[in-house]
Amino acid sequence: MPEQRRPVLLAVDDDDHVLRAVRRDLSRAYQERYRVVASSSPVEATRILDRLRERREEAALILSDQRMPEMTGVEFLVEAGRRFPAARRVLLTAYADTSVAISAINEVRLDHYLVKPWEPPEERLYPVLDDLLSDWESAHEPPYQGIRLVGHRFAPATHRLRDLLTRYRLPFRFEEAEPGDPGAPEVVLPDGRRLARPGHGEVVAALGLATELSHPHYDVAIVGGGPTGLAASVYASSEGMATLLIEAYVPGGQAGTSSRIENYLGFPSGISGVDLTNRAMAQARRFGVDVLAPVEARRLSRAGRACVLNLSDGKEITAATVLLSPGLSYRGLDAEDAGRFEGAGLYYGAALTETESCVGRQVWIVGGANSAGQAALHFSRHACHVTMVVRADSLASGMSAYLVDEIAATGNITVMTNTLVVATGGADRLEHITLRDTRSGEVSTREAEHVFVFIGARPRTEWLDDLVRRDAHGFLLTGPDLGPVAGLASWDLPRPPLLLETSVPGVFAAGDVRANSVKRLASGVGEGAMAVSMIHRYHSES
């Protein structure tokens, strides 16, 4: 990358000795990928940022000392954030100023603080900055690499392809197709190949992203590429098991669609579901996990002690054990004509790929749980106004307190409680919705082009038929919830099922899809790890 195009790391400190040390350490680790710039004045540093903006250059990370005569570090970082909102901001402090730094994390969205001195940098500086820069790079739109998607903006097929490319973090340029173009949507590859109305598997194969199976038989096959399945795959493969992860692309699925997760341990500034999933996927691949995506499991059966999975791409997989963590899908909106506008103005989940289309527009969020709150806050930074439609009396009945407080403090979010969406309407795309007040019965129609729905979820377990026992809502029963072993026709072991084991020996379930599980990200990751220990026990008995 040419020198002038490298993203900038900016360090600001009025102490020349400290500034030289910061510049030295930054240059030593990052000068091949970034341009390191240093300034002893926050006023001058502000002018540097202005010049970068004028030249359309990027600032990736900004470090500033707290105690400076012209302005404090926090004040400077606020100004820097206004110029480069995506840049990661780090405060350099003395021990006496740590309370200021902690307050700044909450008040001005500071990403991190470092206490001086930071020697040795290999232990106290670089791990922090590596993580922040990795986070910035994952969110930063990389240079265009030649993939073009030609389609109609409000066509469901186009939306699904945009979502697929976005989830794989593949840079592409969207171009509006001519009205009535029979070939749309079309994916045009850098080598000139054109894929007319392709399926997801065709796109993945054409881009060289398909994975070849490296084992004829696996120790464990994991169905579901959400946090639970990814955690299990990392632990299983790191412990020497031949591990296969089967990840389906399902529009409206919950895993990886959260726009911002702020209460997950270790990410004080929050992280998007896509970024968290991508990091975990990279970690799984590093440990040698085979990943099949986007592929759906269609049937599970037994062949002696082995488990057999039939997949949507025609493959048949055998494994000694199976972990079921396919996750949940958002329930459909029970409103007149809602099915007609899915992907054409009506979306299930955060649909981050639609963010660009919502800039300066009115956005509607249907639902009152955490995922809806996270989406409302995300779109409030881009849309002119966000309206939340909530069936309950208040957000507090189904949402974490920190999100309720943030929404109340956000000026362009309105919350309509005791309200239902009862109808949708429009020509080729969504144009308006009809609302009903559940207290007064009053009905009103509002203009609406962008509606995102988060109204409960259902488990993706229909494909299991009657082989694995489920509760009345489709959630998988495990361990003590299965009742007496004598009542399980498929059970042929002398012991009862383990805590996360289903009604079929060697088939385990974890995460949101398991009956009576805690529907939280951290608990899902924990269950994925715990399932691996039980799979080990099962192998030792076989």
Side-chain angles (χ1 to χ4, degrees):
M1 185 182 293
E3 174 72 15
Q4 68 272 18
R5 301 303 298 172
R6 283 185 294 170
V8 167
L9 307 184
L10 175 61
V12 185
D13 198 309
D14 64 324
D15 185 321
D16 288 339
H17 174 74
V18 175
L19 188 62
R20 283 195 299 271
V22 174
R23 185 168 192 169
R24 177 200 65 210
D25 289 341
L26 292 179
S27 298
R28 181 188 302 166
Y30 303 112
Q31 65 180 355
E32 291 186 2
R33 291 184 296 144
Y34 299 93
R35 182 157 58 96
V36 178
V37 178
S39 174
S40 60
S41 163
V43 173
E44 173 59 27
T46 302
R47 288 196 285 265
I48 291 172
L49 294 175
D50 287 337
R51 288 196 295 270
L52 290 176
R53 280 209 308 173
E54 291 170 3
R55 296 196 295 260
R56 297 186 178 182
E57 295 187 55
E58 291 288 346
L61 185 139
I62 302 166
L63 302 92
S64 175
D65 182 44
Q66 169 60 9
R67 296 192 179 187
M68 296 183 291
E70 295 171 306
M71 66 175 75
T72 68
V74 171
E75 291 170 340
F76 166 69
L77 290 175
V78 169
E79 291 298 319
R82 289 171 180 155
R83 289 159 172 78
F84 289 94
R88 299 307 183 251
R89 295 176 291 169
V90 179
L91 190 67
L92 300 174
T93 72
Y95 282 105
D97 295 325
T98 53
S99 60
V100 174
I102 293 171
S103 297
I105 288 177
N106 295 320
E107 294 172 7
V108 300
R109 298 282 181 167
L110 181 71
D111 291 292
H112 213 284
Y113 71 90
L114 291 169
V115 177
K116 299 182 288 187
W118 54 82
E119 297 293 338
E122 290 77 11
E123 296 179 11
R124 300 183 60 187
L125 178 67
Y126 297 148
V128 171
L129 300 190
D130 286 348
D131 191 52
L132 291 174
L133 289 171
S134 175
D135 189 37
W136 179 82
E137 288 173 356
S138 68
H140 176 61
E141 183 179 352
Y144 173 64
Q145 294 182 6
I147 301 173
R148 290 189 294 130
L149 172 59
V150 183
H152 303 293
R153 185 175 297 275
F154 287 96
T158 300
H159 164 70
R160 288 191 290 270
L161 286 172
R162 290 175 67 187
D163 199 35
L164 177 74
L165 294 171
T166 300
R167 290 196 191 196
Y168 271 91
R169 304 206 69 82
L170 294 171
F172 68 96
R173 185 171 66 201
F174 176 73
E175 299 175 4
E176 190 71 36
E178 293 295 327
D181 183 352
E186 181 180 53
V187 175
V188 184
L189 303 179
D191 61 6
R193 284 179 294 164
R194 309 178 79 92
L195 308 178
R197 301 183 299 280
H200 294 139
E202 185 181 354
V203 174
V204 169
L207 293 171
L209 301 174
T211 299
E212 294 295 326
L213 300 179
S214 59
H215 299 277
H217 179 78
Y218 287 87
D219 295 321
V220 58
I222 300 168
V223 180
T228 301
L230 284 165
S233 69
V234 168
Y235 280 101
S237 57
S238 68
E239 294 174 12
M241 292 187 188
T243 304
L244 175 67
L245 181 67
I246 301 165
E247 181 190 18
Y249 170 82
V250 181
Q254 287 187 313
T257 63
S258 294
S259 50
R260 202 71 181 170
I261 304 165
E262 295 187 89
N263 60 348
Y264 187 54
L265 187 66
F267 295 92
S269 299
I271 186 170
S272 73
V274 169
D275 287 344
L276 183 63
T277 299
N278 284 339
R279 292 184 186 203
M281 188 66 75
Q283 193 174 15
R285 291 183 187 277
R286 185 169 69 84
F287 280 114
V289 176
D290 284 350
V291 180
L292 287 181
V295 178
E296 292 184 61
R298 292 284 174 82
R299 182 171 179 268
L300 172 64
S301 59
R302 299 290 300 277
R305 279 292 176 199
C307 300
V308 181
L309 283 164
N310 294 95
L311 308 182
S312 58
D313 63 355
K315 290 187 176 69
E316 184 176 271
I317 305 297
T318 63
T321 56
V322 168
L323 174 62
L324 300 172
S325 58
L328 312 178
S329 292
Y330 287 107
R331 296 189 183 280
L333 184 66
D334 185 17
E336 183 181 346
D337 263 355
R340 189 157 66 91
F341 299 107
E342 184 174 343
L346 181 68
Y347 309 99
Y348 292 94
L352 300 185
T353 187
E354 298 301 323
T355 299
E356 182 182 349
S357 300
C358 297
V359 173
R361 302 299 187 94
Q362 163 82 343
V363 168
W364 295 79
I365 305 291
V366 182
N370 279 6
S371 52
Q374 291 162 353
L377 289 168
H378 167 76
F379 284 111
S380 72
R381 294 189 283 271
H382 307 277
C384 65
H385 197 87
V386 175
T387 304
M388 299 188 69
V389 180
V390 183
R391 181 176 56 182
D393 292 331
S394 70
L395 289 178
S397 61
M399 188 179 295
S400 295
Y402 81 94
L403 283 172
V404 175
D405 292 342
E406 286 193 52
I407 289 170
T410 304
N412 65 334
I413 298 180
T414 299
V415 181
M416 299 179 66
T417 57
N418 299 106
T419 305
L420 296 174
V421 178
V422 295
T424 59
D428 296 330
R429 60 182 176 88
L430 183 66
E431 296 174 3
H432 54 82
I433 57 176
T434 302
L435 305 175
R436 178 167 60 85
D437 188 308
T438 58
R439 294 163 300 185
S440 66
E442 181 181 351
V443 174
S444 61
T445 299
R446 306 289 186 90
E447 291 184 2
E449 292 183 320
H450 305 280
V451 177
F452 300 89
V453 181
F454 308 80
I455 52 170
R458 57 178 178 78
R460 302 183 200 141
T461 58
E462 301 90 345
W463 60 280
L464 292 168
D465 298 322
D466 296 326
L467 177 65
V468 182
R469 184 170 291 188
R470 297 175 285 168
D471 68 10
H473 303 287
F475 291 91
L476 300 173
L477 297 168
T478 61
D481 290 337
L482 288 164
V485 175
L488 302 177
S490 57
W491 195 260
D492 57 1
L493 294 180
R495 61 161 177 81
L498 300 174
L499 180 62
L500 301 182
E501 198 167 15
T502 69
S503 58
V504 179
V507 177
F508 297 81
D512 290 350
V513 78
R514 190 176 70 84
N516 299 318
S517 65
V518 178
K519 306 300 190 276
R520 293 289 187 179
L521 173 61
S523 61
V525 170
E527 285 196 8
M530 185 166 57
V532 174
S533 67
M534 297 180 189
I535 290 170
H536 272 302
R537 177 174 170 181
Y538 177 84
H539 283 304
S540 69
E541 297 171 344
S542 302

